[in-house]
Amino acid sequence: MALVTFPTIKAPSTLSFGIRGMAQSFVSEFTGSSQYVRLPGSRWYGAVGWNNLDGEDFEKLKAFMVQLEGPHNTFEYGDVSRDTPKSGLASTVVLECVTGAQHSTQLTFRKDATSSTISGTISAFKAGDYFEITSAKGNELKIVTADATVANSGNSTLNFAPALRGAVTSGQNITHISPRGIMRLTDNEQTNWDVAPPVLGNVGFSFQEAF
């Protein structure tokens, strides 16, 4: 299994993106009451498509898809409509984790001491922003569930979903610009494209998080 680099091409025409939970239920045969248990293993999934691709973009995307060999190899992708956080936090501001426990939906973070200076307290994340972080279980993509701020010094709290699959080492960077998760095609039937005259390609595929 290899990580295939996603090509630099124009933005997709359509994107569907979401998360599939791992909750199990039990319904009592006697009372009819139900209980639900959240299990670890929620994963991102989506579908993406490009209409009327031509020239180099079309050829790059075809070559990329063939290299994936169905769901065997992986690639980095995410909600590309939110590559820039709504908080407006500059790319020059580096954030790092202080504490992040396995199965937690909250971590403590701070500004890296070597990155750009912040004046006062500013917005770090808005609810709906994404971030990427590496845990003991590998690359993880998260969505922020509550606004968070950051100052030049001191710790801040970040709430997110889904829960961390693994613990995060102190000092691990938090990627807030163009965050990505590790994805794979959903099955072996995704590698195909339609061609219309003169040479315009319509390409789309479904994917899910790989872990």
Side-chain angles (χ1 to χ4, degrees), residues 182-200:
I182 304 299
M183 309 294 175
R184 61 166 32 102
L185 298 181
T186 53
D187 56 47
N188 288 310
E189 309 301 321
Q190 300 299 316
T191 309
N192 53 75
W193 47 85
D194 298 322
V195 183
V199 186
L200 297 175

Side-chain angles (χ1 to χ4, degrees), residues 155-173:
N155 297 338
S156 301
T157 299
L158 183 58
N159 296 283
F160 55 87
L164 287 167
R165 295 192 299 273
V168 179
T169 304
S170 179
Q172 183 68 52
N173 283 354

Side-chain angles (χ1 to χ4, degrees), residues 105-144:
T105 55
Q106 186 181 87
L107 61 76
T108 304
F109 74 100
R110 64 190 173 203
K111 185 189 78 68
D112 185 286
T114 63
S115 78
S116 301
T117 300
I118 294 173
S119 178
T121 300
I122 64 172
S123 176
F125 293 97
K126 292 289 188 181
D129 285 341
Y130 294 88
F131 68 92
E132 174 187 345
I133 196 164
T134 300
S135 76
K137 298 293 185 179
N139 173 287
E140 301 197 32
L141 177 66
K142 307 301 178 189
I143 188 169
V144 176

Side-chain angles (χ1 to χ4, degrees), residues 1-187:
M1 184 176 68
L3 181 68
V4 180
T5 302
F6 196 89
T8 301
I9 59 174
K10 72 177 186 179
S13 307
T14 60
L15 172 66
S16 173
F17 195 70
I19 196 163
R20 186 171 288 120
M22 284 285 290
Q24 289 190 350
S25 63
F26 169 77
V27 179
S28 171
E29 296 180 0
F30 300 102
T31 65
S33 62
S34 59
Q35 294 180 325
Y36 288 84
V37 177
R38 184 197 73 181
L39 302 176
S42 296
R43 74 175 71 226
W44 297 104
Y45 68 95
V48 63
W50 289 262
N51 298 327
N52 297 326
L53 271 180
D54 60 2
E56 198 171 281
D57 281 359
F58 186 28
E59 304 308 323
K60 283 182 178 179
L61 191 54
K62 287 194 296 182
F64 161 76
M65 293 175 67
V66 169
Q67 290 179 79
L68 291 175
E69 299 184 87
H72 177 66
N73 291 321
T74 58
F75 60 98
E76 292 183 315
Y77 209 70
D79 185 349
V80 295
S81 71
R82 293 295 297 270
D83 277 355
T84 302
K86 295 297 183 182
S87 67
L89 187 67
S91 60
T92 54
V93 178
V94 179
L95 304 176
E96 64 178 16
C97 178
V98 179
T99 57
Q102 185 179 27
H103 304 319
S104 177
T105 55
Q106 186 181 87
L107 61 76
T108 304
F109 74 100
R110 64 190 173 203
K111 185 189 78 68
D112 185 286
T114 63
S115 78
S116 301
T117 300
I118 294 173
S119 178
T121 300
I122 64 172
S123 176
F125 293 97
K126 292 289 188 181
D129 285 341
Y130 294 88
F131 68 92
E132 174 187 345
I133 196 164
T134 300
S135 76
K137 298 293 185 179
N139 173 287
E140 301 197 32
L141 177 66
K142 307 301 178 189
I143 188 169
V144 176
T145 56
D147 294 355
T149 58
V150 67
N152 205 49
S153 61
N155 297 338
S156 301
T157 299
L158 183 58
N159 296 283
F160 55 87
L164 287 167
R165 295 192 299 273
V168 179
T169 304
S170 179
Q172 183 68 52
N173 283 354
I174 299 172
T175 301
H176 64 283
I177 302 293
S178 300
R180 297 287 186 264
I182 304 299
M183 309 294 175
R184 61 166 32 102
L185 298 181
T186 53
D187 56 47

